[in-house]
Amino acid sequence: MIIATDTKIGGLYSPHSGTELRIACPTSSGSVPASVCGREETMNRPSIMQSRNESFRAENLGANALAMVKNLCFTLFVVGVLVFTIIATTYQPEDPLFHPSSKMTTFLTSNSNATFKSDIGVAKTGDDFVVSNQTAFATFINITDVDSVIQEITPEETEGIPSETGECRTDEPVNCRDPDVFHLLMKSAIERFQDIHFYRFGKPVAGDNATSCHMAWRFRPKEGKAAAFYKDYRSFALVRAENCTLNVVGIGDYHSGGNARKRRGKGRGRNREKDKEVFEKVPANVDENPVALPDVGETVDDSLPTVESEGSFGRSKYLIYSGGGDRCKSMNQYLWSFMCMLGEAQYLNRTLVMDLSMCLSKMYTSSGQDEEGKDFRFYFDFEHLMDSAPVLDQTQFWSDWGKWQKKDGLSLHLVEDFRVAPMKLGNVKDTVIMRKFGSVEPDNYWYRVCEGEAESVIERPWKMIWKSRRLLDIASAISARLNWDFDAVHIERGEKAANKELWPNLDRDTSPDPVMSALKYKIEDGRNLYVATNEKETSLFDPLKDKYSTHFLDEYNDLWNSESDWYAEMTKLNNGNPVEFDGYMRISVDTEVFLSGKKQIETFNDLTKDCKDGINTCTASAS
C-alpha cells in the first residue's frame, strides 16, 4: 500500500514520498482483502524469536551500536571521576626547596613567562626555616626574675667595688660593677622596652663619663616571624638623688653602648666552641639554648680560613665545582645549586673549595647589567658556614695546591659529566675531585648533579646557610628606631604590576585608595606603618600618611651610607673598595623589617585577588 508524503494514516506520518507502509486492518473494514489483513494481524503478535531477530536487523544495528557506545563512555566517565577524586584527596606534592626533583629543573629552565626569572624576592635560607615560636628557644626574663641575678654574682666579681658606708656624696661617680646598678639597669630596660622579650643580660661596664654605664642584652621581639636572637648594647645615664639613690634618667639609641659590645678573639668561625661568656645567664635555671639562631648585633668574624700546614693540606680531601651556567642567575637559582654542591661535599666527607666571588644578576643591580666581583660574604653568613662545615676559599686553595701538589704527589680526579652520581665517587682516593661543567645550558647547572638517583641521597643542608648578619643588623636597627612597635605592609608592584596579562588586577589593587580600603579594618589609625615595596616612587603612597605614620627603607639610609659602621666594615672586607648597597641587599633588609612587624599585610594574600605566580596559579593555602 503506497501512501503519499505527509498523509496521515492510522496516526502515522510517512516520512518520505512514495514510502510503503503496512497497517493493520480494522476487523470491521472490508476495503482490504482478508488475506492481507490476516497477514498483518499475525505480524502484530510477535514471538520472542521474532523480537530477537528484529534487534539484529540492518536498520537497528546503528541505533544499538550508538546506545552501547553511550553506555561505555558514561562508564569510563564515572570511573575517571572516581580515580581523580581519590588522587586529589591523597596526593601531597613535594616541596622543591626540601625535596630535589626534576620538576624543579623544568621550572628553572623554562622559556615561558614563568615569574621565577623576574621574581627578585629574597632567597630563602636556613634561618627562614626555623619556627618563630618564642617558647621554642628559651625562657625569657620577666621583671620578677631580675632579683635572682644578684645571687649569681660571686665575691670575686664584686672585689674592688667600694662599700657604700660613710657620708653620702651625690657627685660620686657611678660604679657600674655594683650589683645594685646591674639590678637597676635590667629593670629599667625591661620596663622601657615592653615589646621585646629579654633572654640574656651582659654585665654593665663603665660608660663614656662618670654618670653612665653601658650594658648589652640579647632579645627577640614579642611578635613577628623572623627567627633570630638580636643583641643590643645601650648607654644608660644615671643620677644620684640627695639620699644617694641611683635613678636611670635616659637610655641611648640602638647600639649606643659600644663599650659593652663583646670583642671576640680569633678562632671564631673555625668549628671551635662558641664563646660562652658573652652574656650572663638570668635566671640561673635557664637551660642552654638548644636552637641555633643567628646572633644579630654581634661582631662578625668572616675572615678567610687558612690551611694550618703542608701536612694537613695533603691529608685532607676536597671537592671543587668549576664553570657552569648558574653564574649571574637569580639568587634563588644560585642558592639551589650551591646547596647541591655543599650537600655533595658533605656526603663525600670532603672539604668544599668554593669561589667566594659572585656575579650579581642584573635584576638586582642599579646599572641594569650583570655585575661581577661581588663577595659571598656580602649576602650570607660565612662565619656560620665555617662553623657548620669545612670550607676553603678557591683562591687560597689553588695557591697552596701550586706549592705542594708536585712535591707531595697530590692527585686530581676530573668529572666532566653531571650524570656521574655522587655515590659513584665515594671510593675515589684522589686528593681533589673536580666537577667541570660545560657551556651548554641547562646541562651545565650545578643542581643537575642532585637529580636522578642522587635525588634521595644528597640532602641540601639549608641550616648551614644564613643571611648576612650585617644586613640583619640594619633591619634590627630600623625596627629598634620604631621601638619594635609597628605594623608592616608589603606592596609589590614593579614588573608584575605592569604585566596585565598575568596580573590583571595588581596595578589597581596596589594603588593608594584600594590599599587604604584594605588596611581600614586591619591596621588601627595612627599606627607606625612600615611599607616594604619595590615601587621606586614612594610618594605614590603619600595618601597613607593621612591615617598612619608611614616609614620606608630609604628613611634609614644613614645605616648604610659612607658614614655608617656597615659601610666601614664592608669596605674593609672588600680590600678597601667601597661596596654599594645593592638591590638584593635592599630586598633582604626590607623583608626582615616587614617580618618584624606586629601585623604583616601581604600583597597577594591581603591586597589583591591576583595570584603570586600569575593568573590561575593560586593554591588553597596561598595566593
Side-chain angles (χ1 to χ4, degrees):
M1 179 178 181
I2 306 300
I3 303 173
T5 303
D6 292 337
T7 303
K8 185 174 181 180
I9 302 177
L12 299 178
Y13 289 90
S14 169
H16 302 287
S17 177
T19 301
E20 179 176 347
L21 296 179
R22 291 180 176 270
I23 57 175
C25 301
T27 54
S28 59
S29 175
S31 59
V32 180
S35 59
V36 175
C37 289
R39 286 195 300 269
E40 292 295 340
E41 288 175 357
T42 302
M43 293 177 63
N44 285 337
R45 297 192 299 272
S47 64
I48 296 177
M49 185 61 69
Q50 288 174 327
S51 176
R52 184 176 300 171
N53 291 338
E54 288 177 1
S55 66
F56 289 99
R57 288 183 179 180
E59 59 265 30
N60 294 331
L61 289 178
N64 292 337
L66 182 60
M68 292 178 63
V69 171
K70 288 181 178 180
N71 291 336
L72 180 60
C73 291
F74 181 78
T75 301
L76 293 175
F77 173 77
V78 172
V79 173
V81 169
L82 181 61
V83 172
F84 177 82
T85 303
I86 294 173
I87 293 176
T89 55
T90 59
Y91 176 63
Q92 295 181 347
E94 291 183 338
D95 184 343
L97 280 177
F98 295 100
H99 303 284
S101 172
S102 58
K103 297 176 183 177
M104 189 68 177
T105 299
T106 303
F107 178 58
L108 289 171
T109 59
S110 172
N111 292 322
S112 66
N113 289 327
T115 59
F116 189 92
K117 294 186 177 181
S118 61
D119 182 4
I120 56 173
V122 64
K124 295 288 185 181
T125 54
D127 42 327
D128 292 307
F129 302 133
V130 179
V131 293
S132 59
N133 182 8
Q134 296 282 340
T135 59
F137 309 115
T139 303
F140 61 87
I141 304 168
N142 290 307
I143 198 167
T144 55
D145 299 319
V146 173
D147 293 336
S148 64
V149 76
I150 301 302
Q151 303 172 5
E152 297 276 315
I153 300 180
T154 63
E156 291 77 9
E157 293 172 325
T158 60
E159 184 178 355
I161 298 177
S163 66
E164 295 294 334
T165 60
E167 185 179 354
C168 172
R169 292 179 49 193
T170 58
D171 61 344
E172 182 179 356
V174 176
N175 191 326
C176 300
R177 295 174 58 196
D178 189 332
D180 289 334
V181 173
F182 190 12
H183 180 276
L184 174 64
L185 298 187
M186 284 191 289
K187 281 195 170 183
S188 298
I190 294 174
E191 290 173 348
R192 166 74 179 276
F193 305 109
Q194 298 186 6
D195 291 295
I196 63 176
H197 282 157
F198 292 86
Y199 288 86
R200 299 285 189 275
F201 282 99
K203 297 174 186 177
V205 297
D208 298 326
N209 54 54
T211 59
S212 72
C213 295
H214 291 181
M215 185 177 71
W217 57 81
R218 183 176 293 162
F219 69 96
R220 296 192 70 242
K222 287 184 177 180
E223 300 182 52
K225 296 180 181 179
F229 276 130
Y230 299 89
K231 182 182 180 181
D232 199 355
Y233 33 91
R234 301 215 183 196
S235 175
F236 290 75
L238 298 95
V239 296
R240 198 182 297 272
E242 292 183 359
N243 62 355
C244 285
T245 302
L246 285 172
N247 295 294
V248 174
V249 295
I251 301 178
D253 295 331
Y254 181 79
H255 284 192
S256 58
N259 295 346
R261 187 181 189 185
K262 180 71 175 181
R263 302 291 178 179
R264 295 175 297 179
K266 293 185 177 181
R268 295 282 302 160
R270 305 297 188 276
N271 295 303
R272 298 185 182 181
E273 186 178 6
K274 298 282 186 181
D275 183 356
K276 296 181 179 179
E277 302 301 325
V278 176
F279 288 96
E280 276 297 297
K281 189 166 61 175
V282 183
N285 61 353
V286 175
D287 295 331
E288 288 294 332
N289 172 36
V291 180
L293 293 177
D295 289 328
V296 179
E298 290 277 18
T299 53
V300 179
D301 176 19
D302 50 11
S303 55
L304 298 179
T306 56
V307 178
E308 294 180 359
S309 65
E310 178 182 348
S312 63
F313 182 86
R315 288 191 299 270
S316 299
K317 304 295 182 183
Y318 307 94
L319 174 68
I320 301 175
Y321 277 31
S322 177
D326 294 292
R327 204 164 186 83
C328 304
K329 297 296 191 298
S330 73
M331 198 67 80
N332 288 278
Q333 178 166 336
Y334 170 78
L335 269 189
W336 182 248
S337 287
F338 179 83
M339 297 306 295
C340 172
M341 175 177 63
L342 185 58
E344 183 180 25
Q346 189 177 37
Y347 173 80
L348 295 174
N349 196 26
R350 288 176 173 262
T351 297
L352 178 64
V353 180
M354 58 179 291
D355 186 1
L356 287 173
S357 178
M358 297 175 59
C359 174
L360 187 66
S361 170
K362 60 185 177 183
M363 63 177 64
Y364 309 114
T365 64
S366 57
S367 65
Q369 302 294 322
D370 295 336
E371 294 183 2
E372 292 278 1
K374 303 295 183 178
D375 196 303
F376 181 90
R377 295 169 291 179
F378 293 174
Y379 310 102
F380 304 106
D381 189 344
F382 187 60
E383 180 180 4
H384 174 66
L385 176 59
M386 289 188 292
D387 276 338
S388 305
V391 293
L392 282 177
D393 171 49
Q394 190 176 106
T395 303
Q396 181 63 45
F397 173 81
W398 287 125
S399 175
D400 293 339
W401 178 264
K403 289 187 295 184
W404 299 321
Q405 184 262 326
K406 290 184 178 180
K407 178 181 177 182
D408 297 336
L410 307 179
S411 57
L412 183 149
H413 182 84
L414 184 63
V415 181
E416 296 186 283
D417 190 343
F418 71 86
R419 289 167 293 189
V420 177
M423 298 78 77
K424 297 179 180 179
L425 302 176
N427 295 324
V428 173
K429 303 299 182 183
D430 299 87
T431 305
V432 179
I433 294 177
M434 174 187 281
R435 283 192 179 273
K436 187 175 181 181
F437 295 84
S439 58
V440 180
E441 299 184 21
D443 286 344
N444 63 351
Y445 291 160
W446 293 356
Y447 62 75
R448 300 301 298 271
V449 173
C450 295
E451 294 178 343
E453 58 182 320
E455 190 172 28
S456 58
V457 177
I458 302 301
E459 178 184 356
R460 283 177 165 84
W462 290 101
K463 63 183 180 180
M464 295 183 182
I465 300 296
W466 289 351
K467 297 181 184 70
S468 164
R469 282 182 289 149
R470 293 187 179 94
L471 294 177
L472 295 180
D473 199 21
I474 292 177
S476 178
I478 294 173
S479 298
R481 291 186 183 182
L482 295 171
N483 293 319
W484 297 91
D485 183 20
F486 64 96
D487 300 315
V489 58
H490 174 221
I491 305 178
E492 184 167 354
R493 290 176 59 80
E495 293 182 10
K496 289 187 178 181
N499 189 336
K500 298 294 195 297
E501 181 179 353
L502 290 179
W503 296 275
N505 305 293
L506 183 60
D507 186 25
R508 182 193 66 241
D509 293 342
T510 55
S511 298
D513 289 342
V515 170
M516 289 277 283
S517 298
L519 298 181
K520 183 177 181 180
Y521 300 105
K522 301 178 185 292
I523 307 295
E524 297 178 6
D525 290 1
R527 289 280 295 163
N528 278 322
L529 181 66
Y530 185 83
V531 182
T533 181
N534 59 350
E535 175 59 54
K536 295 180 180 179
E537 298 297 330
T538 56
S539 59
L540 175 68
F541 305 113
D542 282 350
L544 295 177
K545 296 179 180 179
D546 294 338
K547 292 186 63 177
Y548 310 106
S549 176
T550 59
H551 305 274
F552 298 87
L553 179 62
D554 283 333
E555 290 181 32
Y556 308 98
N557 60 10
D558 63 293
L559 295 171
W560 63 81
N561 66 17
S562 59
E563 304 298 322
S564 66
D565 291 340
W566 178 87
Y567 185 89
E569 291 181 14
M570 296 295 281
T571 300
K572 181 180 180 180
L573 182 66
N574 199 35
N575 299 318
N577 299 310
V579 176
E580 178 191 5
F581 191 72
D582 59 50
Y584 189 77
M585 296 173 184
R586 294 178 64 89
I587 297 169
S588 294
V589 173
D590 229 8
T591 301
E592 290 302 315
V593 179
F594 171 78
L595 293 176
S596 298
K598 288 188 172 180
K599 291 182 180 178
Q600 293 121 17
I601 309 300
E602 288 277 11
T603 299
F604 295 102
N605 289 334
D606 303 298
L607 300 182
T608 182
K609 62 183 179 182
D610 281 351
C611 306
K612 183 176 182 180
D613 295 324
I615 197 167
N616 297 327
T617 62
C618 295
T619 63
S621 59
S623 298

Coordinates of all heavy atoms in Angstrom, one line a residue, residues 58-104:
A58 N 19.3 -4.9 9.9 CA 20.3 -3.9 9.5 C 19.9 -2.5 9.9 O 20.7 -1.7 10.3 CB 20.4 -4.0 8.0
E59 N 18.5 -2.3 9.9 CA 18.1 -0.9 10.2 C 18.2 -0.6 11.7 O 18.2 0.5 12.1 CB 16.7 -0.7 9.7 CG 15.6 -1.7 10.4 CD 15.4 -2.8 9.5 OE1 16.3 -3.2 8.7 OE2 14.3 -3.4 9.5
N60 N 18.4 -1.7 12.5 CA 18.5 -1.5 14.0 C 20.0 -1.5 14.5 O 20.2 -1.1 15.7 CB 17.7 -2.5 14.7 CG 16.2 -2.4 14.5 OD1 15.7 -1.3 14.2 ND2 15.5 -3.5 14.5
L61 N 20.9 -2.0 13.7 CA 22.3 -2.1 14.2 C 22.9 -0.8 14.6 O 23.6 -0.7 15.6 CB 23.1 -2.8 13.1 CG 22.9 -4.3 12.9 CD1 23.7 -4.8 11.8 CD2 23.1 -5.1 14.2
G62 N 22.7 0.3 13.8 CA 23.3 1.6 14.1 C 22.8 2.1 15.5 O 23.6 2.6 16.3
A63 N 21.5 2.0 15.7 CA 20.9 2.5 17.0 C 21.5 1.8 18.2 O 21.8 2.3 19.2 CB 19.4 2.5 16.9
N64 N 21.6 0.4 18.0 CA 22.1 -0.4 19.1 C 23.6 -0.1 19.4 O 24.0 0.0 20.5 CB 21.9 -1.9 18.8 CG 20.5 -2.3 18.7 OD1 19.6 -1.6 19.3 ND2 20.2 -3.4 18.0
A65 N 24.3 0.1 18.3 CA 25.8 0.4 18.5 C 25.9 1.7 19.2 O 26.8 1.9 20.1 CB 26.5 0.4 17.1
L66 N 25.1 2.7 18.8 CA 25.2 4.0 19.4 C 24.9 4.0 20.9 O 25.5 4.6 21.7 CB 24.2 5.0 18.7 CG 24.2 6.4 19.2 CD1 25.6 7.1 19.1 CD2 23.2 7.3 18.5
A67 N 23.9 3.2 21.3 CA 23.5 3.0 22.7 C 24.6 2.4 23.5 O 24.9 2.8 24.6 CB 22.2 2.2 22.8
M68 N 25.3 1.4 22.9 CA 26.4 0.7 23.6 C 27.6 1.7 23.8 O 28.2 1.7 24.8 CB 26.9 -0.5 22.7 CG 25.9 -1.6 22.7 SD 26.4 -3.0 21.7 CE 27.9 -3.5 22.6
V69 N 27.9 2.5 22.8 CA 29.0 3.5 22.9 C 28.6 4.5 24.0 O 29.5 4.9 24.8 CB 29.2 4.2 21.6 CG1 30.2 5.4 21.7 CG2 29.8 3.2 20.5
K70 N 27.4 4.9 24.0 CA 27.0 5.9 25.1 C 27.2 5.3 26.5 O 27.7 5.9 27.4 CB 25.5 6.3 24.9 CG 25.3 7.2 23.7 CD 23.9 7.6 23.6 CE 23.6 8.6 22.4 NZ 22.2 9.0 22.3
N71 N 26.7 4.0 26.6 CA 26.9 3.4 27.9 C 28.3 3.2 28.3 O 28.7 3.4 29.5 CB 26.2 2.0 27.9 CG 24.7 2.1 27.8 OD1 24.1 3.1 28.2 ND2 24.0 1.1 27.3
L72 N 29.2 2.8 27.4 CA 30.6 2.7 27.6 C 31.3 4.0 28.0 O 32.0 4.0 29.0 CB 31.3 2.1 26.4 CG 32.8 1.8 26.5 CD1 33.1 0.8 27.6 CD2 33.4 1.3 25.2
C73 N 30.9 5.0 27.3 CA 31.5 6.4 27.6 C 31.1 6.8 29.0 O 31.9 7.4 29.8 CB 31.1 7.4 26.6 SG 31.9 7.1 24.9
F74 N 29.9 6.6 29.4 CA 29.4 7.0 30.7 C 30.1 6.2 31.8 O 30.5 6.8 32.8 CB 27.9 6.8 30.8 CG 27.3 7.2 32.1 CD1 27.1 8.5 32.4 CD2 27.0 6.3 33.1 CE1 26.5 8.9 33.6 CE2 26.5 6.6 34.3 CZ 26.2 8.0 34.6
T75 N 30.3 4.9 31.5 CA 31.0 4.1 32.5 C 32.5 4.6 32.7 O 32.9 4.7 33.8 CB 31.1 2.6 32.0 OG1 29.7 2.2 31.9 CG2 31.8 1.8 33.1
L76 N 33.1 4.9 31.6 CA 34.5 5.4 31.7 C 34.5 6.8 32.4 O 35.5 7.1 33.2 CB 35.1 5.6 30.3 CG 35.3 4.3 29.5 CD1 35.8 4.5 28.1 CD2 36.4 3.4 30.2
F77 N 33.6 7.6 32.1 CA 33.5 8.9 32.8 C 33.4 8.7 34.3 O 34.1 9.4 35.1 CB 32.3 9.7 32.3 CG 32.1 11.0 33.0 CD1 32.9 12.1 32.8 CD2 31.0 11.1 33.9 CE1 32.6 13.3 33.5 CE2 30.8 12.2 34.6 CZ 31.6 13.4 34.4
V78 N 32.5 7.8 34.7 CA 32.3 7.6 36.2 C 33.6 7.1 36.8 O 34.0 7.5 37.9 CB 31.1 6.6 36.4 CG1 31.0 6.2 37.9 CG2 29.8 7.3 35.9
V79 N 34.2 6.1 36.1 CA 35.5 5.6 36.7 C 36.5 6.7 36.7 O 37.3 6.8 37.7 CB 36.0 4.4 35.8 CG1 37.3 4.0 36.2 CG2 35.0 3.3 35.9
G80 N 36.6 7.5 35.7 CA 37.6 8.6 35.7 C 37.4 9.6 36.8 O 38.3 10.0 37.5
V81 N 36.1 9.9 37.1 CA 35.8 10.9 38.2 C 36.2 10.2 39.5 O 36.8 10.9 40.4 CB 34.3 11.2 38.2 CG1 33.9 11.9 39.5 CG2 34.0 12.1 37.0
L82 N 36.0 9.0 39.7 CA 36.3 8.3 40.9 C 37.8 8.2 41.1 O 38.3 8.5 42.2 CB 35.8 6.8 40.9 CG 36.0 6.0 42.1 CD1 35.4 6.6 43.3 CD2 35.5 4.5 41.9
V83 N 38.6 7.9 40.1 CA 40.1 7.9 40.2 C 40.6 9.3 40.5 O 41.5 9.4 41.4 CB 40.7 7.3 38.9 CG1 42.2 7.5 38.9 CG2 40.3 5.9 38.7
F84 N 40.1 10.3 39.8 CA 40.6 11.7 40.0 C 40.3 12.1 41.5 O 41.1 12.8 42.1 CB 39.9 12.6 39.1 CG 40.2 14.0 39.3 CD1 41.4 14.6 38.7 CD2 39.4 14.9 40.0 CE1 41.7 15.9 38.9 CE2 39.8 16.2 40.2 CZ 40.9 16.7 39.7
T85 N 39.1 11.7 42.0 CA 38.8 12.1 43.4 C 39.7 11.5 44.4 O 40.2 12.1 45.3 CB 37.3 11.7 43.7 OG1 36.4 12.3 42.7 CG2 36.9 12.1 45.1
I86 N 40.1 10.2 44.1 CA 41.0 9.5 45.0 C 42.4 10.2 45.0 O 43.0 10.4 46.1 CB 41.1 8.0 44.7 CG1 39.7 7.3 44.9 CG2 42.2 7.3 45.5 CD1 39.7 5.9 44.4
I87 N 42.8 10.5 43.8 CA 44.2 11.1 43.7 C 44.2 12.5 44.3 O 45.1 12.9 45.1 CB 44.6 11.2 42.2 CG1 44.8 9.8 41.6 CG2 45.8 12.1 42.0 CD1 45.1 9.8 40.1
A88 N 43.1 13.3 44.1 CA 43.1 14.6 44.6 C 43.1 14.7 46.1 O 43.6 15.6 46.7 CB 41.9 15.3 44.0
T89 N 42.5 13.7 46.7 CA 42.4 13.7 48.2 C 43.6 13.1 48.9 O 43.8 13.3 50.1 CB 41.1 12.9 48.6 OG1 41.1 11.6 48.1 CG2 39.8 13.6 48.2
T90 N 44.4 12.4 48.2 CA 45.5 11.7 48.8 C 46.9 12.2 48.4 O 47.9 12.0 49.0 CB 45.5 10.2 48.5 OG1 45.5 10.0 47.1 CG2 44.2 9.6 49.1
Y91 N 47.0 12.9 47.2 CA 48.2 13.3 46.7 C 48.8 14.5 47.5 O 48.1 15.5 47.7 CB 48.1 13.7 45.2 CG 49.4 14.2 44.6 CD1 50.5 13.4 44.5 CD2 49.4 15.5 44.1 CE1 51.7 13.9 43.9 CE2 50.6 16.0 43.6 CZ 51.7 15.2 43.5 OH 52.9 15.7 42.9
Q92 N 50.1 14.5 47.8 CA 50.7 15.6 48.5 C 52.0 15.9 47.7 O 53.0 15.2 47.8 CB 51.1 15.2 50.0 CG 49.9 15.0 50.8 CD 50.2 14.6 52.3 OE1 51.4 14.3 52.5 NE2 49.3 14.7 53.1
P93 N 52.0 17.0 47.0 CA 53.2 17.3 46.1 C 54.4 17.6 47.0 O 54.3 18.1 48.1 CB 52.7 18.5 45.3 CG 51.6 19.1 46.2 CD 51.0 18.0 46.9
E94 N 55.6 17.3 46.5 CA 56.8 17.6 47.1 C 57.1 19.1 47.1 O 56.8 19.8 46.2 CB 58.0 16.9 46.5 CG 57.9 15.4 46.7 CD 59.1 14.7 46.1 OE1 59.7 15.3 45.2 OE2 59.5 13.6 46.5
D95 N 57.7 19.6 48.2 CA 58.2 21.0 48.2 C 59.6 21.0 47.6 O 60.5 20.4 48.1 CB 58.3 21.5 49.6 CG 58.7 22.9 49.7 OD1 59.3 23.4 48.7 OD2 58.6 23.5 50.8
P96 N 59.8 21.6 46.4 CA 61.1 21.5 45.7 C 62.3 22.1 46.5 O 63.4 21.8 46.3 CB 60.9 22.3 44.4 CG 59.7 23.2 44.7 CD 58.9 22.5 45.7
L97 N 62.0 23.0 47.5 CA 63.1 23.5 48.3 C 63.7 22.4 49.2 O 64.9 22.5 49.5 CB 62.6 24.7 49.2 CG 62.4 26.0 48.5 CD1 61.8 27.0 49.4 CD2 63.7 26.5 47.9
F98 N 62.9 21.4 49.6 CA 63.4 20.4 50.5 C 63.6 19.1 49.9 O 64.3 18.3 50.3 CB 62.5 20.3 51.7 CG 62.4 21.5 52.5 CD1 61.3 22.4 52.4 CD2 63.4 21.8 53.4 CE1 61.3 23.5 53.2 CE2 63.3 23.0 54.2 CZ 62.3 23.8 54.1
H99 N 62.9 18.8 48.7 CA 63.0 17.6 48.1 C 63.4 17.8 46.6 O 62.6 18.2 45.8 CB 61.6 16.8 48.1 CG 61.2 16.6 49.5 ND1 61.7 15.7 50.4 CD2 60.2 17.3 50.2 CE1 61.1 15.7 51.5 NE2 60.2 16.7 51.5
P100 N 64.6 17.6 46.3 CA 65.1 17.8 44.9 C 64.2 17.0 43.9 O 63.8 15.9 44.2 CB 66.5 17.3 44.9 CG 66.9 17.3 46.4 CD 65.7 17.1 47.2
S101 N 64.0 17.6 42.8 CA 63.2 16.9 41.8 C 63.5 17.5 40.4 O 63.8 18.6 40.3 CB 61.7 17.1 42.1 OG 60.9 16.7 41.1
S102 N 63.3 16.7 39.4 CA 63.4 17.1 38.0 C 62.4 18.2 37.7 O 62.5 19.0 36.8 CB 63.3 16.0 37.1 OG 62.1 15.3 37.2
K103 N 61.3 18.2 38.5 CA 60.3 19.3 38.3 C 60.9 20.6 38.5 O 60.5 21.6 37.8 CB 59.1 19.0 39.2 CG 58.4 17.7 39.0 CD 57.3 17.5 40.0 CE 56.6 16.2 39.9 NZ 55.6 16.0 40.9
M104 N 61.8 20.7 39.5 CA 62.5 22.0 39.7 C 63.3 22.4 38.5 O 63.4 23.6 38.2 CB 63.3 21.9 41.0 CG 63.9 23.2 41.5 SD 62.6 24.3 42.1 CE 63.6 25.7 42.7

